[in-house]
Amino acid sequence: MPGKTICLFDVDGTLTAPRQEVKQNMLDTLKAVHAKGISLGVVGGSDIAKITEQLGPGLLQYEFLDFVFSENGLLGFADGKEIHRQNIKAQFGEKTYQEFAKSVLKMIADLDIPVMTGTFIEYRNGMVNISPIGRNATQPQRDEFEKYDKEHGIRKKMVDTLREQWGEKLNIQFSVGGQISFDVFPKGWDKTYCLQFVKDYETVHFFGDKTYPGGNDHEIFESERTIGHTVTCPEDTIKLLSELF
């Protein structure tokens, strides 16, 4: 452990543009901060394969990244070695999960939106990711839906309905993130889940773009354990890091 302070980063909108690859200036910035004795970690809602696509094939070998937490920390790595693994299927049970999934698909089938593609429900170890237009959407389609969703609140309406139907029954919570989807997971399995693995640090900084209530960075941003920083894009993250360290 290089020091007593650690910085944890969201991925989409914080280290990279949404679903895009990290730029070299960001990697150089992280290396410079780490060289000053600050530990670094990433905590993303996506699975390890998707985070690797964005941050590079050497993700688990980066010397400047002390921790990598995918799916909010349900799969965790320290110094490139796996330290934790958990999954949601045992929590829900197959029968209940299928009932929930069918209700989501029926809801999506009734939507009136500009475009639909495929992969509307993506099961992950620690959450269920739901996308009204489908995760197969191209980047232009994602951009178009993001604008449409801001105007019509498609994801918010779906979350409100599912919370009413399933929230108490499954003890689940919802988090809107990225451009086209939202996450469903057991309470307590948000990004604060990863904090149990950084208990040895005196100071924990967190950087994220969706820190507002309902955003997938909100809980860890608000946690008493962290000093939260809201950023608007990767360039904003770089600027803030240069000011802080």
Side-chain angles (χ1 to χ4, degrees):
M1 188 186 303
K4 297 180 180 180
T5 298
I6 185 170
C7 293
L8 297 176
F9 302 89
D10 165 53
V11 180
D12 266 4
T14 302
L15 295 182
T16 75
R19 296 299 304 137
Q20 302 300 303
E21 294 182 4
V22 68
K23 293 183 178 180
Q24 187 60 46
N25 64 337
M26 177 60 77
L27 295 178
D28 292 341
T29 299
L30 295 178
K31 290 177 186 176
V33 173
H34 191 264
K36 295 179 180 180
I38 308 297
S39 294
L40 304 178
V42 298
V43 50
S46 296
D47 60 34
I48 191 65
K50 287 187 174 65
I51 294 177
T52 301
E53 285 177 11
Q54 291 179 258
L55 298 185
L59 173 64
L60 297 179
Q61 284 74 50
Y62 288 151
E63 292 184 359
F64 57 89
L65 273 186
D66 303 276
F67 295 92
V68 175
F69 299 111
S70 65
E71 299 175 81
N72 292 349
L74 280 251
L75 180 58
F77 297 86
D79 298 322
K81 298 178 181 178
E82 184 177 319
I83 58 170
H84 184 76
R85 183 183 291 264
Q86 177 62 284
N87 73 78
I88 202 174
K89 272 282 177 113
Q91 189 81 3
F92 281 2
E94 184 65 34
K95 184 175 183 296
T96 301
Y97 171 72
Q98 288 194 24
E99 291 174 356
F100 173 76
K102 287 176 183 177
S103 72
V104 171
L105 291 172
K106 288 177 182 176
M107 187 183 303
I108 291 174
D110 291 334
L111 290 176
D112 182 14
I113 54 180
V115 63
M116 282 188 178
T117 60
T119 311
F120 301 100
I121 298 179
E122 184 176 79
Y123 172 81
R124 302 174 183 174
N125 282 329
M127 67 181 68
V128 180
N129 180 265
I130 298 169
S131 174
I133 70 165
R135 297 198 63 84
N136 293 357
T138 63
Q139 191 58 51
Q141 289 172 330
R142 289 167 180 257
D143 294 340
E144 178 187 356
F145 177 77
E146 184 178 28
K147 293 177 183 177
Y148 186 87
D149 186 48
K150 285 180 179 177
E151 182 179 350
H152 295 90
I154 301 297
R155 288 184 290 178
K156 183 180 184 303
K157 291 174 184 175
M158 289 185 67
V159 164
D160 289 344
T161 300
L162 289 171
R163 181 180 288 115
E164 183 178 344
Q165 294 177 349
W166 293 94
E168 188 172 337
K169 181 178 180 180
L170 295 182
N171 194 32
I172 53 177
Q173 62 190 83
F174 303 82
S175 182
V176 177
Q179 294 179 287
I180 62 169
S181 64
F182 59 91
D183 299 325
V184 182
F185 47 89
K187 288 183 178 178
W189 284 23
D190 51 62
K191 287 184 178 178
T192 60
Y193 188 92
C194 77
L195 295 178
Q196 62 186 292
F197 306 110
V198 294
K199 289 181 178 178
D200 291 337
Y201 291 93
E202 291 180 4
T203 305
V204 181
H205 292 270
F206 173 77
F207 300 79
D209 65 321
K210 290 182 170 56
T211 58
Y212 49 80
N216 63 357
D217 297 323
H218 180 68
E219 290 84 3
I220 190 170
F221 174 80
E222 288 286 318
S223 171
E224 294 181 355
R225 185 72 180 86
T226 67
I227 299 172
H229 306 277
T230 302
V231 297
T232 57
C233 61
E235 291 72 22
D236 195 30
T237 303
I238 291 174
K239 179 176 181 291
L240 187 54
L241 284 171
S242 66
E243 294 172 355
L244 289 171
F245 306 107

